[in-house]
Amino acid sequence: MTGQRLVNVMEELVSGLVRFFLRSPEYQIFCNCNECEMRIVAKALNNLPPHYVVSESEREKVFNELKSPKNIEIINKEIIRAIYEAGNRRNHVV
Ligand SMILES: [Zn+2]
């Protein structure tokens, strides 16, 4: 992170997790194209609190806090819900 810029640590974490979920064997029934992936990330993020930081040290601190088992459980639940909701309305033809 060079200079000051706003980073939503929750967004970074959720993007990575959604990518991971969509590539795991049990989620292959869902589309994992970039468009659907972004839609799922957006949907999950709308149901999770943002965690903005402006420095690398803060970013690491918040990232580690968000990765606690309790937080990950909450975050994963929202991601899985988002995947299923986007999957139900899947009209995306690749
Ligand atoms: Zn798609």
Side-chain angles (χ1 to χ4, degrees), residues 10-33 36-38 40-41 44 48 69 71-84 86:
M10 183 64 90
E11 182 184 328
E12 292 188 321
L13 188 62
V14 168
S15 307
L17 286 169
V18 167
R19 198 165 303 142
F20 175 78
F21 271 112
L22 288 179
R23 277 153 189 72
S24 66
E26 59 264 51
Y27 287 93
Q28 291 313 302
I29 53 166
F30 301 105
C31 183
N32 66 4
C33 77
C36 292
E37 185 176 311
M38 293 289 275
I40 290 164
V41 171
L48 291 163
N71 281 327
I72 281 293
E73 195 188 316
I74 296 166
I75 293 165
N76 280 347
K77 204 176 286 176
E78 286 302 336
I79 289 173
I80 290 163
R81 199 213 312 253
I83 290 174
Y84 275 85

Side-chain angles (χ1 to χ4, degrees), residues 36-90:
C36 292
E37 185 176 311
M38 293 289 275
R39 214 169 35 229
I40 290 164
V41 171
K43 194 178 270 294
L45 283 175
N46 282 338
N47 293 323
L48 291 163
H51 284 270
Y52 283 102
V53 298
V54 292
S55 73
E56 184 60 41
S57 57
E58 248 189 309
R59 178 169 171 251
E60 253 182 65
K61 185 174 150 263
V62 172
F63 202 78
N64 287 328
E65 281 168 14
L66 289 177
K67 283 204 304 190
S68 75
K70 189 167 171 276
N71 281 327
I72 281 293
E73 195 188 316
I74 296 166
I75 293 165
N76 280 347
K77 204 176 286 176
E78 286 302 336
I79 289 173
I80 290 163
R81 199 213 312 253
I83 290 174
Y84 275 85
E85 282 177 11
N88 284 342
R89 275 191 267 121
R90 183 158 60 120

